[in-house]
Amino acid sequence: MTGVNSFQVPGYGPRPAGWSRLFARDSLARRLDWPIMLAALALSGIGSLLVFSATRNRTELNQGDPYYFLVRHILNTGIGFALMIGTVWLGHRTLRTAVPILYGISLFLILLVLTPLGSTVNGAHSWIQIGGGFSLQPSEFVKVTIILGMAMLLAARVDAGDRPHPDHRTVMQALGLAVVPMLIVMLMPDLGSVMVMVIIVLGVLLASGASNRWVFGLLGAGALGAIAGWQLHILDDYQIARFAAFANPSLDPAGVGYNTNQARIAIGSGGLTGAGLFNGSQTTGQFVPEQQTDFVFTVAGEELGFVGAGLIILLLGVVLWRACRIARETTELYGTIVAAGIVAWFAFQTFENIGMTLGIMPVTGLPLPFVSYGGSSMFAVWVAVGLLQSIRVQRPMSA
């Protein structure tokens, strides 16, 4: 029974009360993964400086207030951090039981985007305007829901000891759960988010121990689907143009290829140590579109140089390394799958975002985790960090 001198976090047992014992042996704070926490905070802090540099002179965006985006980015980070704390407090096991509710809410929100309440940004009809200049992109939260939902289904009988790995029927159920929101997001169309979700599904299946035939089958189906989408003109014209510009960088340099050309110029001009924060000519001259969101890495490349850009990649590598370690050390398949799904999400989105600024990946409009401006993305990645921390501290603690 919990007494007056202790408190209890759902799913973790009683904790000693009082700040003097916060870092006592076996306390919750001691069992958190601090490298991943500090790396994520450092990335968000660096992102604040890069966002400020990219927007302080853009009066057409900041409404005449040079600190407009900086304040909002810091606020988004604070809200995201609070969501992480709430996720740890609830625990991934508690959220496991709430998956049907979370899944239903996610479907409702992405369907809401397809109504007149949805709005279009850069060709993607994937936003809901809330008011006061704030908007919500539900597809960011769908990534979390797909991970939790598939993990719940794939791990249920394995964690119960009934089976050594998920059977084919369970895999089909998990894939059905993921396909429904993916098809809705595709209708927006938000190809970048769908690509991330596909990678998440593959990562989840690999971690679950399901037959490799499913993975190879999905890869083959994905290739056929991409060819069919191209031939049947399912993609919008602007999406086809982006892929064409990726295949041929010299195609329409003043039009569809403008973003990537200016991005490469900005990064290439930074050299080893960069031009200095707030001193980048490409950034100050406002030559790179969407620099505070999709192309924020160009600010780092130009103003902080190879050293600063490398530091961002290193910090993201720390997040991925610690997440992989959490996936490996957890004692239940459910936790392994959730952590692996987050690794697949962060790894692909990081590679795609940085890759499109370097011209080695097509432009898809994906933000750089923790760094790019955007509330929905920031909230989702910090919830993911909360899930990782919850898995990390899942082992029973002594009172």
Side-chain angles (χ1 to χ4, degrees), residues 59-106:
T59 55
E60 77 282 5
L61 296 177
N62 62 27
Q63 303 179 15
D65 180 6
Y67 299 99
Y68 179 84
F69 284 93
L70 172 64
V71 171
R72 291 188 171 217
H73 187 83
I74 295 174
L75 177 62
N76 290 337
T77 302
I79 295 174
F81 192 83
L83 289 173
M84 181 211 67
I85 294 175
T87 302
V88 176
W89 185 82
L90 286 173
H92 66 291
R93 291 169 178 164
T94 300
L95 291 174
R96 182 178 190 170
T97 63
V99 163
I101 298 174
L102 296 176
Y103 186 76
I105 293 174
S106 296

Side-chain angles (χ1 to χ4, degrees), residues 159-224:
D159 284 339
D162 296 336
R163 286 185 174 274
H165 52 74
D167 57 21
H168 294 308
R169 181 180 179 182
T170 302
V171 174
M172 290 182 65
Q173 291 174 341
L175 290 176
L177 179 145
V179 165
V180 173
M182 288 169 62
L183 290 176
I184 299 174
V185 173
M186 192 67 189
L187 293 175
M188 293 178 181
D190 186 354
L191 181 60
S193 293
V194 172
M195 290 171 62
V196 175
M197 293 173 193
V198 169
I199 298 300
I200 287 174
V201 170
L202 290 175
V204 163
L205 288 180
L206 285 171
S208 71
S211 172
N212 289 333
R213 286 179 291 179
W214 283 104
V215 176
F216 292 123
L218 288 175
L219 290 174
L224 292 175

Side-chain angles (χ1 to χ4, degrees), residues 350-373:
T350 296
F351 179 74
E352 166 60 28
N353 178 275
I354 296 177
M356 72 183 186
T357 65
L358 298 175
I360 62 174
M361 290 294 286
V363 176
T364 55
L366 289 173
L368 186 60
F370 304 102
V371 182
S372 292
Y373 175 80

Side-chain angles (χ1 to χ4, degrees), residues 33-174:
D33 193 299
W34 286 99
I36 198 172
M37 182 96 73
L38 295 176
L41 285 171
L43 286 166
S44 296
I46 294 172
S48 298
L49 295 176
L50 300 181
V51 167
F52 178 55
S53 180
T55 60
R56 62 196 179 95
N57 294 324
R58 300 205 172 190
T59 55
E60 77 282 5
L61 296 177
N62 62 27
Q63 303 179 15
D65 180 6
Y67 299 99
Y68 179 84
F69 284 93
L70 172 64
V71 171
R72 291 188 171 217
H73 187 83
I74 295 174
L75 177 62
N76 290 337
T77 302
I79 295 174
F81 192 83
L83 289 173
M84 181 211 67
I85 294 175
T87 302
V88 176
W89 185 82
L90 286 173
H92 66 291
R93 291 169 178 164
T94 300
L95 291 174
R96 182 178 190 170
T97 63
V99 163
I101 298 174
L102 296 176
Y103 186 76
I105 293 174
S106 296
L107 288 182
F108 173 76
L109 289 175
I110 55 177
L111 285 172
L112 202 62
V113 172
L114 301 178
T115 70
L117 295 176
S119 61
T120 301
V121 178
N122 296 328
H125 191 78
S126 55
W127 303 82
I128 300 173
Q129 294 296 332
I130 299 176
F134 290 94
S135 58
L136 182 70
Q137 188 177 12
S139 57
E140 291 292 337
F141 303 102
V142 171
K143 299 170 187 176
V144 179
T145 304
I146 287 177
I147 292 172
L148 290 175
M150 291 189 71
M152 178 195 71
L153 291 174
L154 293 170
R157 300 186 68 179
V158 177
D159 284 339
D162 296 336
R163 286 185 174 274
H165 52 74
D167 57 21
H168 294 308
R169 181 180 179 182
T170 302
V171 174
M172 290 182 65
Q173 291 174 341

